[in-house]
Amino acid sequence: MRPGGRILVEALEAQGVDHLYCVPGESYLAVLDALVDSPIEVTVCRQEGGAAMMADAYGKMTGRPGICFVTRGPGATNASAGVHIAAQDSTPMILFIGQVERGMLGREAFQEVDYEQFFGGMAKWVVEIRDPARIPELVHRAFATAMSGRPGPVVVSLPEDILTELAEAVETPRAVAPAIRPGRDEMFRLAEMIEQAERPFMILGGSRWSEQAVADIARFAESAGLPVGCSFRRQGLFDHLHENYAGDVGIGPNPKLAERVKEADLLILVGGRMSEMPSSSYTLIDIPRPRQTFVHVHPGAEELNRVYAASLAIQADPASFADEATGFDFPPSEARSKRVAEAHAEYLEWSETVPHGPGDVQMVEIVRHLRDVLPPEAIMTNGAGNYATWIHRFYRFRKFDTLIAPTSGSMGYGTPAAVAAARLHPSRQVVAFAGDGCFLMNGQEFATAVKYGLPIVVVVVDNAMYGTIRMHQEREYPTRISATELTNPDFAAMGRAYGGEGYLVERTEEFAPAFEAAVRSGRPSIIHVRLDPEAITPRASLSEIRAAALARQA
C-alpha cells in the first residue's frame, strides 16, 4: 500500500523518465514529496508555459514524451501554449495537472477546470485518474498514446486526494511505440514510380525520426537520385552540405526551390503533413488532387489523404520507411544526377547571396559567423518572428537533432527550449535566438538557466517592434501603424541582473567578440543585438514593402 503520489512517480520511473519540468503547486504536493527519493531530475521553471515548452523540446530531442507538471486552473491554462505546440508539431508530451479533490468536482471549486473540455480538441487524449490503483495502467496508456501513430500531447488530470490515498498498484512495462513498416508491394510500386520519373523531389518532415533514420534516408536519396528539401523548421533531418540537399521548404522559400516542388513529376513527402507554412499557404501542392504524382509516407492513418489525395499512400513511420528504402538500388541516371547537382547549387547560392541590408547590424553576417565557429553538433533553438528567417536561410544544419523550433509558430519558445536542450545535453553548445517581443514572453526562463548553471547563449534581436506583424501591417495597411511598436529594456543588463552575462551589439563587427566572451564565460549569457527596424527580411526592407503596397493601391 502506497500513496498515489508515490505510485505515480514509480510509474514514471518504470517508463524511463529521467527529466521532468514543473512549476510547483499545492494540488500535487504528494508528487513533489515522492520526487525527493526519485532519480528523476526535476527542472523547476518560472512559468507553466515555459515548463510545457521545455517538455515539448525534450520530446523533440528524444522521441519519448516530455513530462510537465503544473497545478490546476491558471497553471493548466498557462501550460496550454506548450500543449498546442506539441499538437501541431507532432511531439510526444504528457502534461500532468493537479486537480481539485474528487468530492469537489463539478462545483466550480477553487481553480477548477474541466480539462476534457479545455484540452479536448488539442490533445490526443485527456484523462482524469479517479482511482490511485489505476495510475500505472493509465500512465502506461498515456505514454503509448503520446508516441504511437502521429505523436502528440496527452493531458492527465490528478485529483488531489488520489495522490494521498493509499492503494496497491501493479507494475507496467515500459511503453514502446510500435514500428509501422511499409508494405513490400508499396515499396516496389514506389521504386517503379522513381525509375519512371524525370523530375522527382523528396520533402522530409514530421517526427519519429532518429539519427539512424536520417542516415538511411540520405543513402536512399543518393541511390535514387532525389533532390531533398526539409519541411518548415525540420532542417535537422538532412545535412545541408550533402550533395542532394536542395533547401528549406518553409516560409518564403527560395523561389527556384518552390518551382522545383511545383514542377516535380513525382513528389515524395516523408513524415510531414505539408500544412500551411511548408506548403506556402497550400500553393505548392494542389488540393485535393496534386498536380504532381504524390506519394505520402506518414505513421498516422488519419493523416493520409486527409488534405491531399495521394497517388500512393504509405502508412509507415519515417525510421521504418527509411530502413526499408535503403534496400533498393536504382540504375544511375546522368540526367537525374544533373538535376540533383543543380538543386544543391541553387541552395548554396541562396544561402550565401544577399544584398547589404539597412543599418549597422547585418544579420546574415552574424549567422554566417555562427556557421563558421559552432561545431556541427551545436543546438540552435528559436521561437517565432522574422529574425528566424536569417537562421533558416543562412545557417547550415549538419546533424540530426540540432534545430529545436516550433512549427506551430509560437513565440517565446527559444529560451525554454534552450534550457531543456542544455539540461539534456550539457556537453553541447546551445544557442537560442529570440526577437525582442518573443524573448519577453518566456524570457524569465533565463533565470532557470542561471539556477542550473546552463551556459546557453540567448541572442535577442531587438528592432523595437513586433516585426512580423508590422511587416504584414505595412503590406496590407501601409503607413497605418497600430499596436506593433515596443519599448524595450536593456537586455544585456537584464542578463547580468539575472546572474548571468550580458553583451550589447550595435555593429556587426561587435558580435564575434561578444559571442566568444559569452562562450568563454561558461555562464548563461544574453547578447542584445540592436537591429535597424528597416531590416525586416533578407529580401526587402520595411520601406520597400510599404512602397510596393502603396503602388498596388495607386
Side-chain angles (χ1 to χ4, degrees):
M1 301 287 286
R2 300 168 336 270
R6 184 163 298 278
I7 293 171
L8 176 57
V9 170
E10 290 172 355
L12 294 177
E13 293 170 0
Q15 296 304 321
V17 173
D18 53 4
H19 286 75
L20 66 80
Y21 310 90
C22 76
V23 175
E26 63 184 86
S27 58
Y28 67 97
L29 288 176
V31 175
L32 296 174
D33 179 71
L35 286 167
V36 173
D37 304 313
S38 173
I40 297 173
E41 287 194 68
V42 177
T43 299
V44 182
C45 306
R46 304 309 292 262
Q47 205 260 10
E48 292 87 357
M53 291 176 190
M54 290 183 201
D56 172 85
Y58 179 97
K60 282 181 168 64
M61 290 183 284
T62 67
R64 300 284 298 180
I67 305 301
C68 180
F69 274 82
V70 300
T71 197
R72 61 196 176 220
T77 54
N78 284 343
S80 65
V83 175
H84 180 259
I85 294 169
Q88 289 226 321
D89 288 27
S90 303
T91 307
M93 170 194 170
I94 304 176
L95 175 67
F96 290 92
I97 305 171
Q99 174 63 297
V100 302
E101 294 183 5
R102 287 168 292 183
M104 298 181 183
L105 289 167
R107 295 176 176 172
E108 198 182 342
F110 180 62
Q111 298 182 336
E112 181 184 359
V113 172
D114 183 332
Y115 298 114
E116 288 191 54
Q117 283 195 335
F118 186 81
F119 289 104
M122 197 183 304
K124 286 189 72 175
W125 183 45
V126 183
V127 61
E128 191 159 80
I129 303 178
R130 300 194 180 188
D131 179 356
R134 296 190 64 190
I135 288 174
E137 167 205 344
L138 296 175
V139 167
H140 179 274
R141 180 177 168 187
F143 272 77
T145 301
M147 294 185 291
S148 298
R150 176 187 169 187
V154 169
V155 175
V156 181
S157 171
L158 304 165
E160 187 174 355
D161 52 330
I162 73 155
L163 300 176
T164 55
E165 184 177 310
L166 299 178
E168 292 184 3
V170 298
E171 293 185 2
T172 55
R174 178 172 168 140
V176 178
I180 307 171
R181 303 197 71 84
R184 295 296 292 173
D185 289 346
E186 295 168 327
M187 294 302 291
F188 280 117
R189 186 177 169 197
L190 173 60
E192 290 175 355
M193 288 178 166
I194 292 172
E195 288 184 358
Q196 295 168 5
E198 295 182 0
R199 300 179 305 280
F201 196 93
M202 182 164 64
I203 300 175
L204 311 179
S207 54
R208 297 193 65 172
W209 289 88
S210 66
E211 190 171 2
Q212 182 61 52
V214 166
D216 288 343
I217 207 72
R219 284 197 294 273
F220 171 57
E222 292 166 6
S223 173
L226 300 173
V228 178
C230 289
S231 182
F232 180 52
R233 294 183 173 170
R234 303 292 192 184
Q235 285 97 314
L237 298 180
F238 209 85
D239 181 354
H240 287 24
L241 293 185
H242 191 287
E243 61 184 9
N244 288 67
Y245 187 65
D248 166 32
V249 188
I251 297 176
N254 181 352
K256 292 182 179 179
L257 174 61
E259 283 304 306
R260 283 189 179 275
V261 175
K262 290 179 180 179
E263 294 176 357
D265 58 355
L266 173 63
L267 185 61
I268 306 169
L269 174 61
V270 182
R273 298 183 296 117
M274 285 301 283
S275 56
E276 181 184 355
M277 292 298 104
S279 68
S280 296
S281 297
Y282 301 105
T283 61
L284 296 184
I285 309 175
D286 289 345
I287 299 172
R289 181 179 293 277
R291 69 177 73 90
Q292 309 92 333
T293 298
F294 182 62
V295 177
H296 193 184
V297 182
H298 198 282
E302 72 280 4
E303 294 300 329
L304 297 170
N305 295 304
R306 178 183 178 186
V307 178
Y308 306 103
S311 306
L312 175 61
I314 301 176
Q315 187 182 0
D317 64 83
S320 296
F321 171 81
D323 179 52
E324 289 286 343
T326 58
F328 287 82
D329 290 319
F330 296 87
S333 165
E334 185 176 339
R336 190 82 60 82
S337 297
K338 181 181 179 182
R339 289 187 63 82
V340 166
E342 289 173 348
H344 186 57
E346 289 167 2
Y347 159 71
L348 292 176
E349 181 183 14
W350 176 252
S351 63
E352 283 291 351
T353 307
V354 67
H356 190 278
D360 294 327
V361 170
Q362 299 298 303
M363 283 299 300
V364 64
E365 296 303 329
I366 287 176
V367 175
R368 280 178 177 157
H369 177 74
L370 293 175
R371 192 173 78 188
D372 291 340
V373 302
L374 287 175
E377 64 274 10
I379 298 172
M380 192 80 73
T381 72
N382 65 262
N386 272 32
Y387 66 89
T389 306
W390 278 274
I391 305 166
H392 300 318
R393 178 170 170 180
F394 299 106
Y395 192 79
R396 290 176 178 163
F397 294 91
R398 304 297 311 280
K399 289 182 175 291
F400 173 67
D401 194 23
T402 51
L403 173 63
I404 313 297
T407 70
S408 69
S410 179
M411 294 179 70
Y413 186 89
T415 303
V419 170
R423 286 284 271 168
L424 190 61
H425 298 295
S427 64
R428 295 166 66 178
Q429 180 65 59
V430 180
V431 179
F433 266 78
D436 45 348
C438 186
F439 178 75
L440 282 180
M441 290 193 177
N442 274 311
Q444 71 278 354
E445 300 305 341
F446 189 79
T448 307
V450 172
K451 172 179 171 60
Y452 294 102
L454 306 175
I456 65 173
V457 179
V458 182
V459 180
V460 180
V461 183
D462 174 12
N463 59 4
M465 62 184 176
Y466 287 118
T468 303
I469 311 308
R470 174 68 180 278
M471 176 186 70
H472 291 305
Q473 200 169 60
E474 293 285 9
R475 181 178 291 137
E476 303 300 328
Y477 304 97
T479 74
R480 297 179 61 79
I481 302 167
S482 174
T484 51
E485 296 176 304
L486 297 175
T487 300
N488 289 320
D490 182 333
F491 292 108
M494 181 182 289
R496 294 187 292 269
Y498 270 118
E501 300 293 338
Y503 308 88
L504 176 63
V505 170
E506 295 181 297
R507 302 182 64 84
T508 304
E509 59 268 25
E510 295 170 350
F511 182 82
F515 185 76
E516 181 183 355
V519 173
R520 191 172 58 246
S521 75
R523 295 161 60 82
S525 300
I526 294 176
I527 300 179
H528 181 177
V529 178
R530 287 202 172 123
L531 184 67
D532 191 315
E534 281 291 314
I536 197 68
T537 75
R539 293 190 190 186
S541 70
L542 201 60
S543 293
E544 289 170 338
I545 292 170
R546 181 189 309 122
L550 290 170
R552 285 196 307 271
Q553 294 179 2

